[in-house]
Amino acid sequence: MNDTACDQECKELLENISGIESIEIQESISRNRVEENLTIYIKDDADVNRVQKLVENKLDQHFAFD
């Protein structure tokens, strides 16, 4: 996605998922890529696989086409 406004929208969407400590929007340093990246920090005691599934499901629901 090249719409950087979408980064803030995704950040707000994911912030309340259990197991996520914080989410940062960072400027991308890679060439030929989007201008920004989302970095998700997981709590130390969280199950990474469970949090990953929750994030994937939330994004799938949000961007689903009917």
Side-chain angles (χ1 to χ4, degrees), residues 11-55:
K11 180 180 186 250
E12 292 170 3
L13 182 70
L14 300 175
E15 282 179 324
N16 295 324
I17 291 179
S18 174
I20 290 181
E21 184 171 325
S22 63
I23 300 174
E24 291 181 357
I25 299 175
Q26 300 175 342
E27 185 176 325
S28 178
I29 57 173
S30 301
R31 294 186 322 187
N32 301 325
R33 301 227 177 195
V34 294
E35 296 176 13
E36 297 177 338
N37 294 317
L38 284 180
T39 302
I40 299 173
Y41 296 95
I42 307 292
K43 292 180 182 177
D44 289 337
D45 60 345
D47 179 346
V48 174
N49 293 323
R50 183 183 153 283
V51 174
Q52 178 184 355
K53 275 292 204 198
L54 291 171
V55 168

Side-chain angles (χ1 to χ4, degrees), residues 7 9 45 49-50 55 59 61-62:
D7 294 337
E9 180 182 346
D45 60 345
N49 293 323
R50 183 183 153 283
V55 168
L59 291 174
Q61 290 172 3
H62 183 72

